[in-house]
Amino acid sequence: MKTIVIGDIHGRGTWQLIVQKETFDRVIFVGDYWDSFNIPFLDQMYNFKQIVHFATTAGNDVVLLTGNHDVHYQRWAIESGETYSGFQSIHANDICQEMEQLHDGLMKMAYKMDNFLFSHAGITQTWLELMEIDNDENMVDIINDYAKYKPQMFAFGAVGRGGWVDGYGDNVWQNPTWVRPRSLMKDSKDLGYIQVVGHTGQNCIDIKGKATGGHYYFIDTLGSSGEYLIIEDGQVSAGKI
């Protein structure tokens, strides 16, 4: 089995070069389909529609995960003012309607494959404990149910412990759309998974695990090295556009 994992999109259409180039059994997008400093809104919209079309017609398993730049276009977030950097206020309702109409139920918050755990930013032990979620075979299903029925739980700092809140999201109790690599690596080794996440830009993917011990792969690299992750028969490598 060969799985391709693609980092943060932010309106980029380069994912199409990857799926045209590679043979695969499964493709996983780690989220952040919206918001760009240089790609116009209409191009972002077209690209998102193309991703949804690919996900629903590819004939292979395609997983669409949710990032923080997707969360702030959900209806509850717009109405409550839960917005982050890059928020396109003029187009917010159009984006919200597009997400609701095109793929109700298609996007997920987390995905598990063998001993790999995928989310936009990562899952910490502290966050699971605060959410009263056990690390068992039902964990991912419960997280996805929360995202569907209690999406406010994925607001920035929604289940924080109080006290100091890092504005960058670098707290061990932050949720899977916000936690940063330092906190993730500090507070999730006992979960027993290899975590694959985006969210925090990297110059390249650390395939050799020099900085992560091979327990984490940070793949927000489409805008830098153009790399993406390949998992084939349990072995990890990097492809490049």
Side-chain angles (χ1 to χ4, degrees):
M1 293 289 291
K2 183 177 181 180
T3 298
I4 306 297
V5 195
I6 300 175
D8 302 30
I9 294 296
H10 290 299
R12 301 183 186 95
T14 48
W15 64 271
Q16 297 185 66
L17 300 177
I18 299 171
V19 300
Q20 291 167 6
K21 168 185 176 182
E22 295 282 356
T23 57
F24 54 85
D25 300 287
R26 180 183 295 108
V27 177
I28 301 172
F29 293 84
V30 299
D32 274 5
Y33 308 98
W34 306 98
D35 299 339
S36 170
F37 291 112
N38 55 21
I39 299 175
F41 163 69
L42 289 179
D43 291 340
Q44 294 177 49
M45 177 67 78
Y46 175 78
N47 190 52
F48 181 71
K49 289 184 176 182
Q50 290 293 101
I51 290 173
V52 171
H53 179 73
F54 171 68
T56 54
T57 63
N60 303 77
D61 288 336
V62 180
V63 178
L64 304 185
L65 297 178
T66 304
N68 57 307
H69 285 271
D70 312 311
V71 165
H72 68 179
Y73 294 113
Q74 294 177 350
R75 183 70 57 192
W76 70 268
I78 295 173
E79 293 176 350
S80 64
E82 178 77 16
T83 63
Y84 317 128
S85 64
F87 182 72
Q88 303 171 83
S89 56
I90 295 176
H91 304 295
N93 283 319
D94 291 329
I95 295 173
C96 178
Q97 290 175 11
E98 192 67 26
M99 290 199 297
E100 290 175 341
Q101 292 174 6
L102 286 182
H103 60 87
D104 182 29
L106 183 60
M107 292 176 67
K108 301 179 184 298
M109 190 59 66
Y111 182 77
K112 184 170 64 173
M113 181 186 74
D114 301 325
N115 64 327
F116 289 91
L117 181 61
F118 306 86
S119 64
H120 178 65
I123 297 171
T124 68
Q125 184 67 48
T126 297
W127 182 78
L128 288 176
E129 291 172 356
L130 289 168
M131 295 289 286
E132 300 182 344
I133 300 174
D134 293 328
N135 179 16
D136 58 22
E137 66 274 8
N138 298 315
M139 178 183 70
V140 165
D141 290 337
I142 293 172
I143 291 172
N144 289 328
D145 282 345
Y146 266 115
K148 184 175 182 178
Y149 299 110
K150 293 185 178 181
Q152 296 87 342
M153 293 295 96
F154 296 91
F156 182 88
V159 292
R161 286 181 162 176
W164 177 71
V165 178
D166 183 85
Y168 187 55
D170 198 2
N171 295 101
V172 295
W173 42 258
Q174 278 285 12
N175 71 68
T177 69
W178 265 109
V179 67
R180 295 294 179 175
R182 184 176 65 171
S183 292
L184 177 66
M185 291 189 289
K186 177 181 178 181
D187 194 62
S188 62
K189 286 185 179 179
D190 291 340
L191 293 182
Y193 296 102
I194 298 171
Q195 296 208 45
V196 179
V197 306
H199 185 48
T200 303
Q202 308 290 318
N203 291 326
C204 61
I205 300 175
D206 180 14
I207 291 296
K208 294 183 178 180
K210 291 182 177 179
T212 67
H215 296 289
Y216 307 90
Y217 292 97
F218 301 104
I219 67 165
D220 183 7
T221 51
L222 282 188
S224 53
S225 64
E227 291 178 313
Y228 51 92
L229 198 70
I230 301 170
I231 306 172
E232 188 169 10
D233 298 328
Q235 300 300 309
V236 177
S237 62
K240 190 169 183 178
I241 297 172

